[in-house]
Amino acid sequence: MHAQVLERPGMALRAAELPMPRPSRGELLIEVAACGVCRTDLHIVDGELLRPRLPLVPGHEIVGRIITLGPGVEGFALNDRVGVPWLGWTCGECRYCLAGEENLCEQARFTGYTLDGGYADHVVADARYCLHIPPSYADTTAAPLLCAGLIGFRALRMASNAQNIGFYGFGAAAHILAQLCVAQGRRVYAFVRPGDADARAFAYELGATWSGDSDAQPPAPLDAALIFAPVGDLVPAALRAVRKGGSVICAGIHMSDIPSFPYELLWGERVVRSVANLTRADGVEFLAAIERHPVHTQIQTYDLAEANRALGDLRAGLVRGAAVLVPKR
């Protein structure tokens, strides 16, 4: 199979031809139709997330069709279209798994990080962690839903019934969640890189009530703020923007150091918390939600061979919405 491989963090991916994988018990062999390019992929490639499997095929926003069923697979059939998300395996036995918190499993394995992912034309995945994709979404527009959408949805659930909700960083995740929030009758406040007029305009196109620079104060206090940009400085900025009793939710897997800030910003029963990974239940609930309230993912497509260019564009802030890799057939 054709793949883009990370040999060592800090290096460009290299094109490689690898042996076709074979599914073991409970696994699926999937022909990849599209794979989203996530900021987490950048953190892995740039060495900000430690101890990846090496060499590694990155990518965890995978949409494809099943071409081989491993022994013991239930609930799937040949040619079914499935999505493969970040969470790829858990032990099922630890205190977290038994409590319904499999996203915190100490033994968890992750697609495109400790398991080979979707920067390839084929991938093997544990059937238990794959998701049926709603037929109303095309392969390329469905791919970003598998992480930007799923992790964003888990963060949104932590915001409870917040009506004034702020998004810090208006990229792949925020542009999906903004549409869902507007459909639910919430008011979206979009915070973008200072001076990024295109991102501000994009937020307004998707129904934002207000959009401004990330260091600005919104015109109304926020009930909750979701931080998607991996910038620790945004935590105290978001605390200044939320009302008493409000929440600041850090939705990324990696963030630069959070600077010290006066206790006054936290006082008033404000809360700062993080989102870690996702559960299979999140996936089922999210895909049901976007069937009730359809969203449109704005994408930029790249050939699989252009993976390094896609990562570079994402790193430079040149992607409007989400980048998606498409293997050639």
Side-chain angles (χ1 to χ4, degrees):
M1 70 175 189
H2 300 290
Q4 294 287 319
V5 177
L6 177 67
E7 297 285 358
R8 184 162 52 87
M11 294 179 61
L13 305 183
R14 69 170 180 87
E17 290 192 13
L18 304 177
M20 182 66 70
R22 295 182 179 181
S24 300
R25 185 170 187 81
E27 293 183 333
L28 307 173
L29 176 59
I30 299 163
E31 183 178 68
V32 177
C35 184
V37 179
C38 180
R39 184 161 292 277
T40 302
D41 300 337
L42 266 185
H43 295 317
I44 294 167
V45 169
D46 291 346
E48 294 168 328
L49 284 183
L50 304 180
R51 296 180 293 280
R53 168 182 173 171
L54 294 174
L56 173 72
V57 179
H60 58 274
E61 296 179 325
I62 307 166
V63 175
R65 286 160 182 79
I66 300 170
I67 59 173
T68 306
L69 297 165
V73 169
E74 297 179 355
F76 294 95
L78 291 178
N79 296 317
D80 279 359
R81 192 171 67 135
V82 296
V84 185
W86 171 248
L87 185 66
W89 183 92
T90 58
C91 73
E93 300 175 350
C94 68
R95 60 181 294 184
Y96 298 112
C97 289
L98 295 176
E101 299 174 327
E102 64 184 10
N103 58 306
L104 304 178
C105 174
E106 298 285 4
Q107 306 301 318
R109 300 172 191 166
F110 302 103
T111 311
Y113 181 41
T114 55
L115 301 167
D116 278 337
Y119 285 20
D121 50 27
H122 292 82
V123 66
V124 161
D126 189 322
R128 297 172 301 168
Y129 298 83
C130 294
L131 299 164
H132 289 284
I133 300 296
S136 54
Y137 290 87
D139 297 334
T140 50
T141 57
L145 302 175
L146 273 301
C147 185
L150 276 172
I151 300 297
F153 183 71
R154 185 171 180 84
L156 182 61
R157 289 175 65 189
M158 291 182 179
S160 189
N161 62 347
Q163 293 302 298
N164 285 359
I165 189 162
F167 294 141
Y168 284 78
F170 204 82
H175 98 282
I176 294 170
L177 271 294
Q179 296 173 66
L180 189 57
C181 286
V182 170
Q184 293 172 340
R186 308 187 199 217
R187 291 174 293 277
V188 171
Y189 296 78
F191 297 81
V192 304
R193 293 180 183 181
D196 192 341
D198 288 342
R200 290 185 65 183
F202 187 32
Y204 281 123
E205 287 174 22
L206 296 179
T209 298
W210 173 89
S211 183
D213 292 349
S214 59
D215 55 1
Q217 284 292 106
L222 304 177
D223 300 314
L226 277 57
I227 300 180
F228 294 109
V231 181
D233 287 345
L234 293 176
V235 172
L239 282 170
R240 290 187 180 92
V242 299
R243 61 167 175 80
K244 292 179 181 179
S247 298
V248 174
I249 300 155
C250 303
I253 196 170
H254 172 82
M255 178 179 276
S256 61
D257 288 349
I258 299 171
S260 63
F261 54 85
Y263 177 66
E264 179 185 1
L265 293 182
L266 186 62
W267 188 79
E269 299 192 353
R270 294 175 178 88
V271 174
V272 178
R273 65 179 304 174
S274 68
V275 172
N277 313 313
L278 71 150
T279 67
R280 286 170 283 181
D282 292 329
V284 172
E285 186 175 343
F286 171 63
L287 294 177
I290 62 171
E291 285 199 272
R292 294 191 303 271
H293 303 294
V295 298
H296 171 71
T297 50
Q298 177 81 29
I299 59 168
Q300 293 177 210
T301 59
Y302 301 76
D303 289 341
L304 175 62
E306 299 179 299
N308 286 307
R309 184 165 75 87
L311 288 166
D313 286 352
L314 181 60
R315 187 183 289 109
L318 300 178
V319 176
R320 196 174 197 250
V324 178
L325 301 179
V326 179
K328 287 185 177 180
R329 300 295 178 206

mmCIF file of all heavy atoms in Angstrom, residues 81-124:
data_model
loop_
_atom_site.group_PDB
_atom_site.id
_atom_site.type_symbol
_atom_site.label_atom_id
_atom_site.label_comp_id
_atom_site.label_asym_id
_atom_site.label_seq_id
_atom_site.Cartn_x
_atom_site.Cartn_y
_atom_site.Cartn_z
ATOM 1 N N ARG A 81 -19.382 1.756 4.799
ATOM 2 C CA ARG A 81 -18.540 2.946 4.943
ATOM 3 C C ARG A 81 -18.407 3.256 6.428
ATOM 4 O O ARG A 81 -19.403 3.335 7.154
ATOM 5 C CB ARG A 81 -19.155 4.136 4.211
ATOM 6 C CG ARG A 81 -18.184 5.327 4.081
ATOM 7 C CD ARG A 81 -18.758 6.365 3.161
ATOM 8 N NE ARG A 81 -19.931 6.998 3.720
ATOM 9 C CZ ARG A 81 -20.152 8.312 3.695
ATOM 10 N NH1 ARG A 81 -19.267 9.132 3.152
ATOM 11 N NH2 ARG A 81 -21.259 8.817 4.193
ATOM 12 N N VAL A 82 -17.168 3.405 6.886
ATOM 13 C CA VAL A 82 -16.915 3.595 8.313
ATOM 14 C C VAL A 82 -15.941 4.745 8.536
ATOM 15 O O VAL A 82 -15.193 5.144 7.650
ATOM 16 C CB VAL A 82 -16.345 2.308 8.960
ATOM 17 C CG1 VAL A 82 -17.366 1.185 8.902
ATOM 18 C CG2 VAL A 82 -15.041 1.880 8.298
ATOM 19 N N GLY A 83 -15.978 5.244 9.763
ATOM 20 C CA GLY A 83 -15.023 6.246 10.198
ATOM 21 C C GLY A 83 -14.133 5.675 11.287
ATOM 22 O O GLY A 83 -14.591 4.898 12.135
ATOM 23 N N VAL A 84 -12.866 6.045 11.248
ATOM 24 C CA VAL A 84 -11.896 5.608 12.254
ATOM 25 C C VAL A 84 -11.413 6.855 12.989
ATOM 26 O O VAL A 84 -10.759 7.716 12.403
ATOM 27 C CB VAL A 84 -10.699 4.874 11.618
ATOM 28 C CG1 VAL A 84 -9.769 4.336 12.705
ATOM 29 C CG2 VAL A 84 -11.173 3.741 10.713
ATOM 30 N N PRO A 85 -11.712 6.981 14.289
ATOM 31 C CA PRO A 85 -11.333 8.165 15.052
ATOM 32 C C PRO A 85 -10.010 7.981 15.805
ATOM 33 O O PRO A 85 -9.323 6.973 15.664
ATOM 34 C CB PRO A 85 -12.510 8.323 16.016
ATOM 35 C CG PRO A 85 -12.890 6.905 16.322
ATOM 36 C CD PRO A 85 -12.619 6.106 15.065
ATOM 37 N N TRP A 86 -9.703 8.971 16.646
ATOM 38 C CA TRP A 86 -8.466 9.007 17.437
ATOM 39 C C TRP A 86 -8.363 7.825 18.388
ATOM 40 O O TRP A 86 -7.340 7.140 18.443
ATOM 41 C CB TRP A 86 -8.431 10.336 18.187
ATOM 42 C CG TRP A 86 -7.364 10.530 19.214
ATOM 43 C CD1 TRP A 86 -7.551 10.626 20.560
ATOM 44 C CD2 TRP A 86 -5.957 10.721 19.006
ATOM 45 N NE1 TRP A 86 -6.350 10.850 21.201
ATOM 46 C CE2 TRP A 86 -5.355 10.920 20.265
ATOM 47 C CE3 TRP A 86 -5.144 10.743 17.863
ATOM 48 C CZ2 TRP A 86 -3.988 11.127 20.433
ATOM 49 C CZ3 TRP A 86 -3.774 10.960 18.026
ATOM 50 C CH2 TRP A 86 -3.207 11.141 19.289
ATOM 51 N N LEU A 87 -9.409 7.556 19.157
ATOM 52 C CA LEU A 87 -9.367 6.446 20.107
ATOM 53 C C LEU A 87 -9.479 5.131 19.343
ATOM 54 O O LEU A 87 -10.497 4.850 18.706
ATOM 55 C CB LEU A 87 -10.501 6.557 21.122
ATOM 56 C CG LEU A 87 -10.481 5.510 22.255
ATOM 57 C CD1 LEU A 87 -9.267 5.706 23.159
ATOM 58 C CD2 LEU A 87 -11.769 5.568 23.076
ATOM 59 N N GLY A 88 -8.407 4.302 19.426
ATOM 60 C CA GLY A 88 -8.356 3.091 18.634
ATOM 61 C C GLY A 88 -8.446 1.794 19.406
ATOM 62 O O GLY A 88 -8.718 0.734 18.822
ATOM 63 N N TRP A 89 -8.245 1.847 20.728
ATOM 64 C CA TRP A 89 -8.291 0.623 21.545
ATOM 65 C C TRP A 89 -8.208 1.026 23.005
ATOM 66 O O TRP A 89 -7.506 1.984 23.361
ATOM 67 C CB TRP A 89 -7.110 -0.278 21.194
ATOM 68 C CG TRP A 89 -7.096 -1.604 21.912
ATOM 69 C CD1 TRP A 89 -7.641 -2.781 21.482
ATOM 70 C CD2 TRP A 89 -6.480 -1.894 23.187
ATOM 71 N NE1 TRP A 89 -7.424 -3.789 22.394
ATOM 72 C CE2 TRP A 89 -6.711 -3.276 23.455
ATOM 73 C CE3 TRP A 89 -5.779 -1.147 24.117
ATOM 74 C CZ2 TRP A 89 -6.250 -3.891 24.614
ATOM 75 C CZ3 TRP A 89 -5.328 -1.745 25.279
ATOM 76 C CH2 TRP A 89 -5.553 -3.115 25.522
ATOM 77 N N THR A 90 -8.945 0.309 23.859
ATOM 78 C CA THR A 90 -8.796 0.453 25.311
ATOM 79 C C THR A 90 -8.824 -0.928 25.941
ATOM 80 O O THR A 90 -9.275 -1.903 25.326
ATOM 81 C CB THR A 90 -9.920 1.319 25.914
ATOM 82 O OG1 THR A 90 -11.183 0.735 25.614
ATOM 83 C CG2 THR A 90 -9.868 2.741 25.376
ATOM 84 N N CYS A 91 -8.385 -1.006 27.196
ATOM 85 C CA CYS A 91 -8.240 -2.315 27.832
ATOM 86 C C CYS A 91 -9.566 -2.922 28.253
ATOM 87 O O CYS A 91 -9.710 -4.148 28.330
ATOM 88 C CB CYS A 91 -7.295 -2.218 29.037
ATOM 89 S SG CYS A 91 -8.014 -1.390 30.484
ATOM 90 N N GLY A 92 -10.563 -2.075 28.566
ATOM 91 C CA GLY A 92 -11.861 -2.568 28.989
ATOM 92 C C GLY A 92 -11.910 -3.083 30.422
ATOM 93 O O GLY A 92 -12.967 -3.545 30.877
ATOM 94 N N GLU A 93 -10.801 -2.999 31.149
ATOM 95 C CA GLU A 93 -10.735 -3.606 32.479
ATOM 96 C C GLU A 93 -10.331 -2.646 33.595
ATOM 97 O O GLU A 93 -10.522 -2.970 34.771
ATOM 98 C CB GLU A 93 -9.732 -4.778 32.461
ATOM 99 C CG GLU A 93 -10.107 -5.883 31.486
ATOM 100 C CD GLU A 93 -9.038 -6.958 31.404
ATOM 101 O OE1 GLU A 93 -7.931 -6.739 31.969
ATOM 102 O OE2 GLU A 93 -9.286 -8.001 30.776
ATOM 103 N N CYS A 94 -9.760 -1.520 33.268
ATOM 104 C CA CYS A 94 -9.258 -0.606 34.308
ATOM 105 C C CYS A 94 -10.410 0.174 34.930
ATOM 106 O O CYS A 94 -11.555 0.134 34.481
ATOM 107 C CB CYS A 94 -8.222 0.342 33.717
ATOM 108 S SG CYS A 94 -8.909 1.544 32.541
ATOM 109 N N ARG A 95 -10.103 0.938 35.978
ATOM 110 C CA ARG A 95 -11.138 1.689 36.698
ATOM 111 C C ARG A 95 -11.842 2.679 35.778
ATOM 112 O O ARG A 95 -13.047 2.945 35.941
ATOM 113 C CB ARG A 95 -10.521 2.432 37.887
ATOM 114 C CG ARG A 95 -9.442 3.438 37.521
ATOM 115 C CD ARG A 95 -8.851 4.134 38.726
ATOM 116 N NE ARG A 95 -9.847 4.975 39.387
ATOM 117 C CZ ARG A 95 -9.571 5.760 40.424
ATOM 118 N NH1 ARG A 95 -8.352 5.761 40.947
ATOM 119 N NH2 ARG A 95 -10.501 6.499 40.963
ATOM 120 N N TYR A 96 -11.111 3.234 34.812
ATOM 121 C CA TYR A 96 -11.711 4.209 33.911
ATOM 122 C C TYR A 96 -12.655 3.536 32.922
ATOM 123 O O TYR A 96 -13.789 3.998 32.703
ATOM 124 C CB TYR A 96 -10.621 4.984 33.180
ATOM 125 C CG TYR A 96 -9.734 5.780 34.115
ATOM 126 C CD1 TYR A 96 -8.399 5.438 34.295
ATOM 127 C CD2 TYR A 96 -10.244 6.864 34.822
ATOM 128 C CE1 TYR A 96 -7.584 6.160 35.157
ATOM 129 C CE2 TYR A 96 -9.437 7.599 35.687
ATOM 130 C CZ TYR A 96 -8.113 7.239 35.856
ATOM 131 O OH TYR A 96 -7.330 7.953 36.711
ATOM 132 N N CYS A 97 -12.197 2.454 32.304
ATOM 133 C CA CYS A 97 -13.056 1.741 31.363
ATOM 134 C C CYS A 97 -14.325 1.245 32.046
ATOM 135 O O CYS A 97 -15.429 1.353 31.497
ATOM 136 C CB CYS A 97 -12.298 0.571 30.736
ATOM 137 S SG CYS A 97 -11.010 1.061 29.559
ATOM 138 N N LEU A 98 -14.183 0.714 33.231
ATOM 139 C CA LEU A 98 -15.339 0.158 33.938
ATOM 140 C C LEU A 98 -16.314 1.242 34.394
ATOM 141 O O LEU A 98 -17.492 0.971 34.617
ATOM 142 C CB LEU A 98 -14.877 -0.666 35.146
ATOM 143 C CG LEU A 98 -14.076 -1.931 34.803
ATOM 144 C CD1 LEU A 98 -13.590 -2.616 36.070
ATOM 145 C CD2 LEU A 98 -14.907 -2.897 33.959
ATOM 146 N N ALA A 99 -15.823 2.478 34.498
ATOM 147 C CA ALA A 99 -16.673 3.595 34.925
ATOM 148 C C ALA A 99 -17.248 4.366 33.744
ATOM 149 O O ALA A 99 -17.854 5.423 33.931
ATOM 150 C CB ALA A 99 -15.878 4.535 35.821
ATOM 151 N N GLY A 100 -17.063 3.860 32.517
ATOM 152 C CA GLY A 100 -17.550 4.572 31.348
ATOM 153 C C GLY A 100 -16.667 5.728 30.943
ATOM 154 O O GLY A 100 -17.096 6.616 30.194
ATOM 155 N N GLU A 101 -15.420 5.747 31.419
ATOM 156 C CA GLU A 101 -14.463 6.819 31.097
ATOM 157 C C GLU A 101 -13.300 6.245 30.292
ATOM 158 O O GLU A 101 -12.134 6.479 30.593
ATOM 159 C CB GLU A 101 -13.956 7.463 32.389
ATOM 160 C CG GLU A 101 -15.057 8.103 33.229
ATOM 161 C CD GLU A 101 -14.548 8.604 34.570
ATOM 162 O OE1 GLU A 101 -13.624 7.987 35.146
ATOM 163 O OE2 GLU A 101 -15.085 9.625 35.053
ATOM 164 N N GLU A 102 -13.623 5.490 29.242
ATOM 165 C CA GLU A 102 -12.581 4.823 28.465
ATOM 166 C C GLU A 102 -11.612 5.807 27.823
ATOM 167 O O GLU A 102 -10.481 5.444 27.495
ATOM 168 C CB GLU A 102 -13.205 3.927 27.393
ATOM 169 C CG GLU A 102 -14.012 4.682 26.344
ATOM 170 C CD GLU A 102 -14.700 3.752 25.357
ATOM 171 O OE1 GLU A 102 -14.711 2.535 25.602
ATOM 172 O OE2 GLU A 102 -15.232 4.254 24.339
ATOM 173 N N ASN A 103 -12.021 7.054 27.666
ATOM 174 C CA ASN A 103 -11.122 8.074 27.118
ATOM 175 C C ASN A 103 -9.908 8.313 28.018
ATOM 176 O O ASN A 103 -8.896 8.860 27.568
ATOM 177 C CB ASN A 103 -11.868 9.385 26.906
ATOM 178 C CG ASN A 103 -12.487 9.933 28.179
ATOM 179 O OD1 ASN A 103 -13.233 9.230 28.859
ATOM 180 N ND2 ASN A 103 -12.182 11.174 28.504
ATOM 181 N N LEU A 104 -9.990 7.886 29.288
ATOM 182 C CA LEU A 104 -8.896 8.082 30.244
ATOM 183 C C LEU A 104 -8.100 6.801 30.493
ATOM 184 O O LEU A 104 -7.197 6.794 31.328
ATOM 185 C CB LEU A 104 -9.447 8.608 31.573
ATOM 186 C CG LEU A 104 -10.263 9.908 31.498
ATOM 187 C CD1 LEU A 104 -10.781 10.282 32.882
ATOM 188 C CD2 LEU A 104 -9.439 11.029 30.904
ATOM 189 N N CYS A 105 -8.417 5.726 29.781
ATOM 190 C CA CYS A 105 -7.737 4.441 29.968
ATOM 191 C C CYS A 105 -6.225 4.604 29.879
ATOM 192 O O CYS A 105 -5.709 5.201 28.930
ATOM 193 C CB CYS A 105 -8.215 3.444 28.911
ATOM 194 S SG CYS A 105 -7.339 1.856 28.922
ATOM 195 N N GLU A 106 -5.513 4.068 30.881
ATOM 196 C CA GLU A 106 -4.049 4.199 30.914
ATOM 197 C C GLU A 106 -3.380 3.391 29.812
ATOM 198 O O GLU A 106 -2.250 3.678 29.417
ATOM 199 C CB GLU A 106 -3.519 3.738 32.281
ATOM 200 C CG GLU A 106 -4.011 4.563 33.459
ATOM 201 C CD GLU A 106 -3.334 5.926 33.558
ATOM 202 O OE1 GLU A 106 -2.526 6.270 32.677
ATOM 203 O OE2 GLU A 106 -3.641 6.639 34.529
ATOM 204 N N GLN A 107 -4.051 2.368 29.301
ATOM 205 C CA GLN A 107 -3.474 1.508 28.268
ATOM 206 C C GLN A 107 -3.977 1.865 26.867
ATOM 207 O O GLN A 107 -3.687 1.145 25.911
ATOM 208 C CB GLN A 107 -3.828 0.042 28.561
ATOM 209 C CG GLN A 107 -3.455 -0.439 29.943
ATOM 210 C CD GLN A 107 -1.974 -0.319 30.217
ATOM 211 O OE1 GLN A 107 -1.154 -0.630 29.349
ATOM 212 N NE2 GLN A 107 -1.618 0.122 31.415
ATOM 213 N N ALA A 108 -4.727 2.943 26.727
ATOM 214 C CA ALA A 108 -5.366 3.272 25.455
ATOM 215 C C ALA A 108 -4.342 3.401 24.324
ATOM 216 O O ALA A 108 -3.195 3.808 24.537
ATOM 217 C CB ALA A 108 -6.153 4.566 25.593
ATOM 218 N N ARG A 109 -4.792 3.047 23.133
ATOM 219 C CA ARG A 109 -3.987 3.221 21.924
ATOM 220 C C ARG A 109 -4.736 4.161 20.993
ATOM 221 O O ARG A 109 -5.968 4.161 20.955
ATOM 222 C CB ARG A 109 -3.743 1.867 21.245
ATOM 223 C CG ARG A 109 -3.014 0.866 22.140
ATOM 224 C CD ARG A 109 -2.970 -0.513 21.499
ATOM 225 N NE ARG A 109 -2.517 -1.518 22.460
ATOM 226 C CZ ARG A 109 -2.628 -2.836 22.266
ATOM 227 N NH1 ARG A 109 -3.167 -3.307 21.143
ATOM 228 N NH2 ARG A 109 -2.209 -3.676 23.199
ATOM 229 N N PHE A 110 -3.955 4.938 20.244
ATOM 230 C CA PHE A 110 -4.546 6.023 19.465
ATOM 231 C C PHE A 110 -4.135 5.927 17.997
ATOM 232 O O PHE A 110 -2.962 5.746 17.667
ATOM 233 C CB PHE A 110 -4.122 7.370 20.047
ATOM 234 C CG PHE A 110 -4.506 7.519 21.496
ATOM 235 C CD1 PHE A 110 -3.561 7.382 22.502
ATOM 236 C CD2 PHE A 110 -5.822 7.751 21.845
ATOM 237 C CE1 PHE A 110 -3.912 7.502 23.831
ATOM 238 C CE2 PHE A 110 -6.185 7.868 23.180
ATOM 239 C CZ PHE A 110 -5.231 7.747 24.177
ATOM 240 N N THR A 111 -5.136 6.080 17.138
ATOM 241 C CA THR A 111 -4.936 6.014 15.697
ATOM 242 C C THR A 111 -4.018 7.145 15.239
ATOM 243 O O THR A 111 -4.212 8.305 15.600
ATOM 244 C CB THR A 111 -6.291 6.132 14.976
ATOM 245 O OG1 THR A 111 -7.224 5.220 15.558
ATOM 246 C CG2 THR A 111 -6.147 5.834 13.493
ATOM 247 N N GLY A 112 -3.022 6.789 14.439
ATOM 248 C CA GLY A 112 -2.101 7.793 13.923
ATOM 249 C C GLY A 112 -1.107 8.314 14.932
ATOM 250 O O GLY A 112 -0.440 9.326 14.694
ATOM 251 N N TYR A 113 -0.997 7.622 16.082
ATOM 252 C CA TYR A 113 -0.057 8.026 17.139
ATOM 253 C C TYR A 113 0.650 6.795 17.701
ATOM 254 O O TYR A 113 1.868 6.666 17.597
ATOM 255 C CB TYR A 113 -0.806 8.789 18.228
ATOM 256 C CG TYR A 113 0.047 9.289 19.367
ATOM 257 C CD1 TYR A 113 1.301 9.851 19.150
ATOM 258 C CD2 TYR A 113 -0.429 9.226 20.679
ATOM 259 C CE1 TYR A 113 2.068 10.313 20.212
ATOM 260 C CE2 TYR A 113 0.327 9.709 21.740
ATOM 261 C CZ TYR A 113 1.578 10.245 21.511
ATOM 262 O OH TYR A 113 2.329 10.705 22.555
ATOM 263 N N THR A 114 -0.100 5.883 18.286
ATOM 264 C CA THR A 114 0.478 4.604 18.721
ATOM 265 C C THR A 114 -0.016 3.445 17.869
ATOM 266 O O THR A 114 0.411 2.309 18.057
ATOM 267 C CB THR A 114 0.144 4.340 20.208
ATOM 268 O OG1 THR A 114 -1.278 4.403 20.400
ATOM 269 C CG2 THR A 114 0.810 5.376 21.096
ATOM 270 N N LEU A 115 -0.915 3.732 16.941
ATOM 271 C CA LEU A 115 -1.346 2.794 15.908
ATOM 272 C C LEU A 115 -1.199 3.489 14.562
ATOM 273 O O LEU A 115 -1.406 4.712 14.475
ATOM 274 C CB LEU A 115 -2.825 2.410 16.098
ATOM 275 C CG LEU A 115 -3.238 1.752 17.408
ATOM 276 C CD1 LEU A 115 -4.760 1.740 17.526
ATOM 277 C CD2 LEU A 115 -2.676 0.341 17.488
ATOM 278 N N ASP A 116 -0.854 2.757 13.518
ATOM 279 C CA ASP A 116 -0.770 3.371 12.193
ATOM 280 C C ASP A 116 -2.134 3.916 11.783
ATOM 281 O O ASP A 116 -3.185 3.316 12.055
ATOM 282 C CB ASP A 116 -0.279 2.358 11.155
ATOM 283 C CG ASP A 116 1.242 2.218 11.158
ATOM 284 O OD1 ASP A 116 1.929 3.168 11.605
ATOM 285 O OD2 ASP A 116 1.745 1.166 10.710
ATOM 286 N N GLY A 117 -2.101 5.076 11.121
ATOM 287 C CA GLY A 117 -3.328 5.774 10.777
ATOM 288 C C GLY A 117 -3.607 5.853 9.296
ATOM 289 O O GLY A 117 -3.211 4.991 8.511
ATOM 290 N N GLY A 118 -4.283 6.945 8.902
ATOM 291 C CA GLY A 118 -4.908 7.036 7.596
ATOM 292 C C GLY A 118 -4.200 7.844 6.537
ATOM 293 O O GLY A 118 -4.787 8.101 5.480
ATOM 294 N N TYR A 119 -2.940 8.262 6.768
ATOM 295 C CA TYR A 119 -2.185 8.883 5.682
ATOM 296 C C TYR A 119 -1.686 7.760 4.766
ATOM 297 O O TYR A 119 -0.495 7.547 4.580
ATOM 298 C CB TYR A 119 -0.997 9.671 6.219
ATOM 299 C CG TYR A 119 -1.304 11.006 6.878
ATOM 300 C CD1 TYR A 119 -2.569 11.318 7.362
ATOM 301 C CD2 TYR A 119 -0.304 11.969 7.030
ATOM 302 C CE1 TYR A 119 -2.830 12.527 7.972
ATOM 303 C CE2 TYR A 119 -0.549 13.191 7.640
ATOM 304 C CZ TYR A 119 -1.821 13.470 8.115
ATOM 305 O OH TYR A 119 -2.066 14.677 8.721
ATOM 306 N N ALA A 120 -2.622 7.035 4.199
ATOM 307 C CA ALA A 120 -2.320 5.841 3.415
ATOM 308 C C ALA A 120 -3.566 5.494 2.607
ATOM 309 O O ALA A 120 -4.638 6.088 2.804
ATOM 310 C CB ALA A 120 -1.964 4.671 4.339
ATOM 311 N N ASP A 121 -3.442 4.519 1.692
ATOM 312 C CA ASP A 121 -4.640 4.119 0.960
ATOM 313 C C ASP A 121 -5.349 2.936 1.599
ATOM 314 O O ASP A 121 -6.441 2.553 1.166
ATOM 315 C CB ASP A 121 -4.340 3.862 -0.527
ATOM 316 C CG ASP A 121 -3.170 2.949 -0.779
ATOM 317 O OD1 ASP A 121 -2.865 2.112 0.086
ATOM 318 O OD2 ASP A 121 -2.548 3.058 -1.861
ATOM 319 N N HIS A 122 -4.750 2.337 2.648
ATOM 320 C CA HIS A 122 -5.410 1.282 3.418
ATOM 321 C C HIS A 122 -5.016 1.420 4.889
ATOM 322 O O HIS A 122 -3.923 1.915 5.208
ATOM 323 C CB HIS A 122 -5.020 -0.112 2.912
ATOM 324 C CG HIS A 122 -5.547 -0.423 1.548
ATOM 325 N ND1 HIS A 122 -4.909 0.020 0.400
ATOM 326 C CD2 HIS A 122 -6.647 -1.116 1.139
ATOM 327 C CE1 HIS A 122 -5.593 -0.383 -0.659
ATOM 328 N NE2 HIS A 122 -6.639 -1.078 -0.248
ATOM 329 N N VAL A 123 -5.894 0.947 5.771
ATOM 330 C CA VAL A 123 -5.608 0.967 7.194
ATOM 331 C C VAL A 123 -6.366 -0.180 7.856
ATOM 332 O O VAL A 123 -7.443 -0.576 7.396
ATOM 333 C CB VAL A 123 -6.022 2.322 7.828
ATOM 334 C CG1 VAL A 123 -7.527 2.519 7.789
ATOM 335 C CG2 VAL A 123 -5.492 2.464 9.242
ATOM 336 N N VAL A 124 -5.786 -0.727 8.921
ATOM 337 C CA VAL A 124 -6.457 -1.721 9.747
ATOM 338 C C VAL A 124 -6.917 -1.034 11.031
ATOM 339 O O VAL A 124 -6.180 -0.226 11.612
ATOM 340 C CB VAL A 124 -5.520 -2.905 10.079
ATOM 341 C CG1 VAL A 124 -6.033 -3.690 11.274
ATOM 342 C CG2 VAL A 124 -5.392 -3.830 8.877
#
